Structures are given as structure tokens and as C-alpha cells.
Amino acid sequence: MHELSVCQALISQVEELAQREMVQRVERVRVGIGPLSGVEPQLLQHAYPLAAAGTLAENSELEIENRPIRVHCPTCGKTSDANASRLLCAHCGDWQTTLVSGDELMLLQVEFIRETDNV
Amino acid sequence: MCDTCGCNMTHGNQHLLAPGGKLHKTGQGNEAVTVLKNLLSENDHIAVHNRQHFDRHGVLALNLMSSPGSGKTSLLEATIGSLGNRYRIAVIEGDLETENDAERIRRCGVEAIQITTGTACHLDAHMVHDALHRLNLDDIDILFIENVGNLVCPAGFDLGQHSNITLLSVTEGDDKPAKYPVMFRVAELVALTKVDLLPLLDDFDPERARENIRTLANAAPVLETSARQPETLQTWLQWLEDEIQQHRTHCENAETA
Ligand SMILES: Nc1nc2c(ncn2[C@@H]2O[C@H](COP(=O)(O)OP(=O)(O)O)[C@@H](O)[C@H]2O)c(=O)[nH]1
Ligand SMILES: [Mg+2]
Ligand SMILES: [Zn+2]
Ligand SMILES: [Zn+2]
């Protein structure tokens, strides 16, 4: 259920931006989500219209970019793909890796429509 | 403090920061703003604020997370029993409903603030901020925050704690770190609880649980504890004392800096 609170946080950031840019309507919102953020993209997608209703983002499209899990291995110096429950180095098998990407929960881009009849 | 700080920035996505918050035209002629901001940045900023409150008063704040019933409140009761005469302890209790856990803690002679979250499956930095202003931080050495029983959601929300402690009771199975990597990856200490029950279980291997945590690239200490057998709590209590000492040094250095 915390996807709804994440979505509400997202919408409030989007609205803040829309107000700053003085636009009337949000067309598309792009976020980047890694599996280790703890947020389920599908649940976020479902929660989005609910959170957007009645805001400047109403009827906008949520585009989710799934970020890959990548780890860096200080032992062999290489970077590799990994999965959420196995963050080992794919090259030498060492477990003491550091996460390079995969825990993101990021607002990437907001697209607006500006009504142009007055400038 | 920072509007587009990207609190969650990792090396892999830093290059995305380059365009900044500038407007540009898309292919369809719409306007677009490229931002790079953690969706939970508002929560994270309040968490930073909470941590400043704690540090200013020399309070060590620890966030306890686990499934419901893994033994968080029992571990706190036992800890208060052992350290309560040497350190000033307070507890923030998070639960969906009821004051039960706060009452259990108060019976140990320690101040407890209950947060009932209703439908929210986790504590957030806002709730903890409200609770900490009901405490006199000058009178506290260690503040335990018992999070809502849930192995999924609490891991996503920074509360301003100094360390995350995750409990896994031996009746839950040693594969849980692999099933809940988000939670177990961020733990600074894992306690395998209720080890008094190990003789009754033939399929929980503490070594395998430890391995599953290492597989998440987590080097955190993995302790075996039982609230029913005080002698098992020695390593846990020692860890706490070391944390308090380190935190005091950290706060003193910050003050003189
Ligand atoms: N056998 C055994 N039972 C325990 C232990 N710790 C807690 N329990 C029991 O587990 C149940 C849940 O404990 P509680 O501390 O309320 O868990 P919480 O929901 O994580 O706070 C209670 O019935 C406790 O008595 C332990 O170390 N050994
Ligand atoms: Mg409890
Ligand atoms: Zn390697
Ligand atoms: Zn405050």
C-alpha cells in the first residue's frame, strides 16, 4: 500500500513544477524505478490515476523506466548486472560489492501542455 | 537545503543530472522539464531534520523493523531490563492500532510515545518528527523506534535514525533475506530472534540466514538472540554500548567543529 503515498509525493512534486512553470496541464510524467527501491512499478501505475485525480496532473500519463541492478566489485574492479536477491559480482563471485544502480526512485521528466492563446 | 539534491544518487545515474531543471521542447512540441529528484525527497528532508534534532541532543536513534510478531517489543523489554539503569532510554512505538506496545514499554519504567498509523503500513519522517517533539531529548541517550510490523514498506522511508536493525525470528524461515532484499540489504544489524526455539525447528539454519544476508552484499553483524534467555543478549548489548560511545564521539566532534 505504500505505492499510494509514493504516488502522492510524486504528484505534489509534479504540481509544484507545473505551478513554477505556470502551465495549465501536465501531459506526461517520467520516473525511474529500480527493483531495490521497494516500489512495485505495477502498483505505482495503478495508484497514479487515483493520486492525480483533481490535480494539474489529472489524465496525464505515467511512464516508468525500469532501472537495472548494477554492482561494482572492489576486488576485481569490474561492474556487472545482478538481481535483487543476489548482489554478487558476476565476474569473480565476491559478495562485497557496492550498488551502482537499482535502488532509484526518481522523478526524471515532466512534460507540459501550455495553452498558447495568450502570451 | 537542496531542491534537486538527488538524495538517492548513485554513480550509475549521476550523468542524468546534467540537463538540470531547464525547459526544453519535445518532439511533439510540448514543453518538458528534466528533473532528477528522489520521489521521497520531502520525507528525506524531514529525516535529515530529525537527525539534526537527535545529534544536537546527543540521542542515538535506532529503527527496529521486522514482520509482525518477530519479537521487537520483547527485545526492547529485555534491553531496558539490562541497560535501563545505565542509559536513559525512550521508545517510539509504531502500530496500525492500539497502545498495547507502548503500555508494555511503560511497564518497564521507560517513556513511550505511541504512533497509530491507521492504514499506513510504515512510519515516515513526519510521524517521527511529531513524536520526537513530545519527548524531552535532553533526557534521552537511546531512542528506539519500533516500526510497524512489515518486511516491505518501512525500508523505503528514512526516519532520521542512525542505524537500521532488522529482526528475523527463527520461525519465519532462513530464506527471508532473499525474499525481502530491500529490507535486509539496508540493515546495519540483523538479529535472528527466538533462538531458544531452534531445537524445535529442523529447517532454520542461522548460517544459511547469514549467507543469504551476505548475498545481498550486506556485511552487517548477524546476531542470535532470545528474549527468553538473557545470556544470549550479550553481543547485542555490547553492540549497543559501542554504538552509543561512537555516537557520543561523533556528536562531540560535530560540536567543536
Ligand atoms: N520463544 C520465544 N518467544 C518470543 C521471543 N521473543 C518474543 N516472543 C514471543 O513472540 C510474540 C511476539 O513478540 P513481540 O515482542 O510482541 O513481537 P513484535 O510484534 O515484533 O513486537 C510474543 O508472544 C512473544 O512472547 C523469544 O525470544 N523466544
Ligand atoms: Mg511490537
Ligand atoms: Zn569481482
Ligand atoms: Zn523540528
PDB file of all heavy atoms in Angstrom, chain B residues 66-74 76 93-95 100-102 104 146-147 149, ligand 2:
ATOM      1  N   SER B  66      10.748  -5.435  11.338  1.00  0.00           N
ATOM      2  CA  SER B  66      10.575  -6.893  11.193  1.00  0.00           C
ATOM      3  C   SER B  66       9.140  -7.170  10.795  1.00  0.00           C
ATOM      4  O   SER B  66       8.318  -6.265  10.736  1.00  0.00           O
ATOM      5  CB  SER B  66      10.866  -7.620  12.506  1.00  0.00           C
ATOM      6  OG  SER B  66       9.763  -7.516  13.399  1.00  0.00           O
ATOM      7  N   SER B  67       8.829  -8.446  10.551  1.00  0.00           N
ATOM      8  CA  SER B  67       7.436  -8.862  10.391  1.00  0.00           C
ATOM      9  C   SER B  67       6.718  -8.651  11.729  1.00  0.00           C
ATOM     10  O   SER B  67       7.370  -8.550  12.762  1.00  0.00           O
ATOM     11  CB  SER B  67       7.345 -10.361  10.101  1.00  0.00           C
ATOM     12  OG  SER B  67       8.200 -10.737   9.088  1.00  0.00           O
ATOM     13  N   PRO B  68       5.378  -8.636  11.702  1.00  0.00           N
ATOM     14  CA  PRO B  68       4.656  -8.594  12.981  1.00  0.00           C
ATOM     15  C   PRO B  68       5.012  -9.839  13.789  1.00  0.00           C
ATOM     16  O   PRO B  68       5.075 -10.940  13.243  1.00  0.00           O
ATOM     17  CB  PRO B  68       3.177  -8.634  12.572  1.00  0.00           C
ATOM     18  CG  PRO B  68       3.128  -8.382  11.112  1.00  0.00           C
ATOM     19  CD  PRO B  68       4.477  -8.725  10.540  1.00  0.00           C
ATOM     20  N   GLY B  69       5.286  -9.656  15.073  1.00  0.00           N
ATOM     21  CA  GLY B  69       5.480 -10.808  15.948  1.00  0.00           C
ATOM     22  C   GLY B  69       6.872 -11.399  15.974  1.00  0.00           C
ATOM     23  O   GLY B  69       7.089 -12.452  16.580  1.00  0.00           O
ATOM     24  N   SER B  70       7.849 -10.742  15.356  1.00  0.00           N
ATOM     25  CA  SER B  70       9.207 -11.298  15.358  1.00  0.00           C
ATOM     26  C   SER B  70       9.940 -11.076  16.672  1.00  0.00           C
ATOM     27  O   SER B  70      11.022 -11.625  16.874  1.00  0.00           O
ATOM     28  CB  SER B  70      10.039 -10.689  14.229  1.00  0.00           C
ATOM     29  OG  SER B  70       9.445 -10.961  12.995  1.00  0.00           O
ATOM     30  N   GLY B  71       9.360 -10.245  17.523  1.00  0.00           N
ATOM     31  CA  GLY B  71       9.959 -10.063  18.844  1.00  0.00           C
ATOM     32  C   GLY B  71      10.598  -8.716  19.092  1.00  0.00           C
ATOM     33  O   GLY B  71      11.447  -8.579  19.974  1.00  0.00           O
ATOM     34  N   LYS B  72      10.146  -7.668  18.384  1.00  0.00           N
ATOM     35  CA  LYS B  72      10.721  -6.331  18.567  1.00  0.00           C
ATOM     36  C   LYS B  72      10.453  -5.819  19.980  1.00  0.00           C
ATOM     37  O   LYS B  72      11.371  -5.383  20.678  1.00  0.00           O
ATOM     38  CB  LYS B  72      10.142  -5.337  17.545  1.00  0.00           C
ATOM     39  CG  LYS B  72      10.462  -5.683  16.098  1.00  0.00           C
ATOM     40  CD  LYS B  72       9.873  -4.673  15.127  1.00  0.00           C
ATOM     41  CE  LYS B  72       8.350  -4.650  15.066  1.00  0.00           C
ATOM     42  NZ  LYS B  72       7.715  -5.921  14.705  1.00  0.00           N
ATOM     43  N   THR B  73       9.177  -5.854  20.384  1.00  0.00           N
ATOM     44  CA  THR B  73       8.841  -5.305  21.699  1.00  0.00           C
ATOM     45  C   THR B  73       9.503  -6.130  22.805  1.00  0.00           C
ATOM     46  O   THR B  73      10.016  -5.574  23.779  1.00  0.00           O
ATOM     47  CB  THR B  73       7.310  -5.247  21.888  1.00  0.00           C
ATOM     48  OG1 THR B  73       6.730  -4.647  20.725  1.00  0.00           O
ATOM     49  CG2 THR B  73       6.929  -4.412  23.098  1.00  0.00           C
ATOM     50  N   SER B  74       9.543  -7.453  22.616  1.00  0.00           N
ATOM     51  CA  SER B  74      10.176  -8.313  23.631  1.00  0.00           C
ATOM     52  C   SER B  74      11.663  -8.008  23.757  1.00  0.00           C
ATOM     53  O   SER B  74      12.209  -7.973  24.867  1.00  0.00           O
ATOM     54  CB  SER B  74      10.002  -9.788  23.267  1.00  0.00           C
ATOM     55  OG  SER B  74       8.639 -10.090  23.126  1.00  0.00           O
ATOM     56  N   LEU B  76      13.062  -5.173  23.143  1.00  0.00           N
ATOM     57  CA  LEU B  76      13.174  -3.873  23.815  1.00  0.00           C
ATOM     58  C   LEU B  76      12.971  -4.029  25.318  1.00  0.00           C
ATOM     59  O   LEU B  76      13.723  -3.458  26.109  1.00  0.00           O
ATOM     60  CB  LEU B  76      12.157  -2.881  23.235  1.00  0.00           C
ATOM     61  CG  LEU B  76      12.454  -2.411  21.806  1.00  0.00           C
ATOM     62  CD1 LEU B  76      11.397  -1.420  21.327  1.00  0.00           C
ATOM     63  CD2 LEU B  76      13.843  -1.771  21.734  1.00  0.00           C
ATOM     64  N   GLU B  93       6.703   3.960  19.477  1.00  0.00           N
ATOM     65  CA  GLU B  93       6.069   2.722  19.019  1.00  0.00           C
ATOM     66  C   GLU B  93       5.167   3.004  17.835  1.00  0.00           C
ATOM     67  O   GLU B  93       4.256   3.832  17.923  1.00  0.00           O
ATOM     68  CB  GLU B  93       5.202   2.143  20.162  1.00  0.00           C
ATOM     69  CG  GLU B  93       5.985   1.442  21.255  1.00  0.00           C
ATOM     70  CD  GLU B  93       6.528   0.095  20.787  1.00  0.00           C
ATOM     71  OE1 GLU B  93       6.111  -0.378  19.712  1.00  0.00           O
ATOM     72  OE2 GLU B  93       7.376  -0.464  21.511  1.00  0.00           O
ATOM     73  N   GLY B  94       5.398   2.320  16.730  1.00  0.00           N
ATOM     74  CA  GLY B  94       4.512   2.465  15.578  1.00  0.00           C
ATOM     75  C   GLY B  94       3.664   1.224  15.427  1.00  0.00           C
ATOM     76  O   GLY B  94       4.173   0.113  15.468  1.00  0.00           O
ATOM     77  N   ASP B  95       2.374   1.414  15.294  1.00  0.00           N
ATOM     78  CA  ASP B  95       1.457   0.283  15.112  1.00  0.00           C
ATOM     79  C   ASP B  95       0.259   0.756  14.313  1.00  0.00           C
ATOM     80  O   ASP B  95      -0.071   1.942  14.322  1.00  0.00           O
ATOM     81  CB  ASP B  95       0.959  -0.228  16.472  1.00  0.00           C
ATOM     82  CG  ASP B  95       1.562  -1.591  16.801  1.00  0.00           C
ATOM     83  OD1 ASP B  95       1.523  -2.478  15.928  1.00  0.00           O
ATOM     84  OD2 ASP B  95       2.060  -1.739  17.938  1.00  0.00           O
ATOM     85  N   ASN B 100      -1.017  -0.970  22.914  1.00  0.00           N
ATOM     86  CA  ASN B 100      -0.518  -2.112  23.681  1.00  0.00           C
ATOM     87  C   ASN B 100       0.990  -2.103  23.887  1.00  0.00           C
ATOM     88  O   ASN B 100       1.483  -2.290  24.996  1.00  0.00           O
ATOM     89  CB  ASN B 100      -0.896  -3.436  22.993  1.00  0.00           C
ATOM     90  CG  ASN B 100      -2.396  -3.645  23.012  1.00  0.00           C
ATOM     91  OD1 ASN B 100      -3.124  -2.858  23.607  1.00  0.00           O
ATOM     92  ND2 ASN B 100      -2.861  -4.696  22.351  1.00  0.00           N
ATOM     93  N   ASP B 101       1.731  -1.893  22.794  1.00  0.00           N
ATOM     94  CA  ASP B 101       3.184  -1.976  22.891  1.00  0.00           C
ATOM     95  C   ASP B 101       3.738  -0.839  23.751  1.00  0.00           C
ATOM     96  O   ASP B 101       4.644  -1.049  24.551  1.00  0.00           O
ATOM     97  CB  ASP B 101       3.817  -1.969  21.500  1.00  0.00           C
ATOM     98  CG  ASP B 101       3.691  -3.326  20.818  1.00  0.00           C
ATOM     99  OD1 ASP B 101       3.076  -4.244  21.424  1.00  0.00           O
ATOM    100  OD2 ASP B 101       4.189  -3.473  19.682  1.00  0.00           O
ATOM    101  N   ALA B 102       3.188   0.359  23.584  1.00  0.00           N
ATOM    102  CA  ALA B 102       3.644   1.488  24.410  1.00  0.00           C
ATOM    103  C   ALA B 102       3.396   1.177  25.886  1.00  0.00           C
ATOM    104  O   ALA B 102       4.241   1.461  26.734  1.00  0.00           O
ATOM    105  CB  ALA B 102       2.927   2.770  23.999  1.00  0.00           C
ATOM    106  N   ARG B 104       3.313  -1.795  27.259  1.00  0.00           N
ATOM    107  CA  ARG B 104       4.308  -2.797  27.682  1.00  0.00           C
ATOM    108  C   ARG B 104       5.631  -2.106  28.037  1.00  0.00           C
ATOM    109  O   ARG B 104       6.278  -2.445  29.028  1.00  0.00           O
ATOM    110  CB  ARG B 104       4.553  -3.819  26.553  1.00  0.00           C
ATOM    111  CG  ARG B 104       3.481  -4.894  26.473  1.00  0.00           C
ATOM    112  CD  ARG B 104       3.608  -5.729  25.205  1.00  0.00           C
ATOM    113  NE  ARG B 104       4.839  -6.529  25.141  1.00  0.00           N
ATOM    114  CZ  ARG B 104       5.182  -7.271  24.065  1.00  0.00           C
ATOM    115  NH1 ARG B 104       4.397  -7.306  22.999  1.00  0.00           N
ATOM    116  NH2 ARG B 104       6.287  -7.967  24.077  1.00  0.00           N
ATOM    117  N   GLU B 146      10.245   1.600  17.213  1.00  0.00           N
ATOM    118  CA  GLU B 146       9.740   0.300  16.757  1.00  0.00           C
ATOM    119  C   GLU B 146       8.804   0.556  15.598  1.00  0.00           C
ATOM    120  O   GLU B 146       7.715   1.105  15.761  1.00  0.00           O
ATOM    121  CB  GLU B 146       9.023  -0.461  17.889  1.00  0.00           C
ATOM    122  CG  GLU B 146       8.483  -1.793  17.367  1.00  0.00           C
ATOM    123  CD  GLU B 146       7.789  -2.676  18.421  1.00  0.00           C
ATOM    124  OE1 GLU B 146       8.082  -2.538  19.630  1.00  0.00           O
ATOM    125  OE2 GLU B 146       6.948  -3.501  18.019  1.00  0.00           O
ATOM    126  N   ASN B 147       9.221   0.175  14.399  1.00  0.00           N
ATOM    127  CA  ASN B 147       8.432   0.436  13.199  1.00  0.00           C
ATOM    128  C   ASN B 147       7.235  -0.506  13.127  1.00  0.00           C
ATOM    129  O   ASN B 147       7.136  -1.473  13.875  1.00  0.00           O
ATOM    130  CB  ASN B 147       9.314   0.283  11.956  1.00  0.00           C
ATOM    131  CG  ASN B 147       8.995   1.304  10.889  1.00  0.00           C
ATOM    132  OD1 ASN B 147       7.831   1.483  10.534  1.00  0.00           O
ATOM    133  ND2 ASN B 147      10.010   1.967  10.370  1.00  0.00           N
ATOM    134  N   GLY B 149       5.033  -3.499  12.036  1.00  0.00           N
ATOM    135  CA  GLY B 149       5.426  -4.848  11.638  1.00  0.00           C
ATOM    136  C   GLY B 149       5.147  -5.091  10.169  1.00  0.00           C
ATOM    137  O   GLY B 149       3.978  -5.156   9.758  1.00  0.00           O
TER     138      GLY B 149
HETATM  139 MG    MG C   2       5.612  -4.812  18.946  1.00  0.00          MG
END
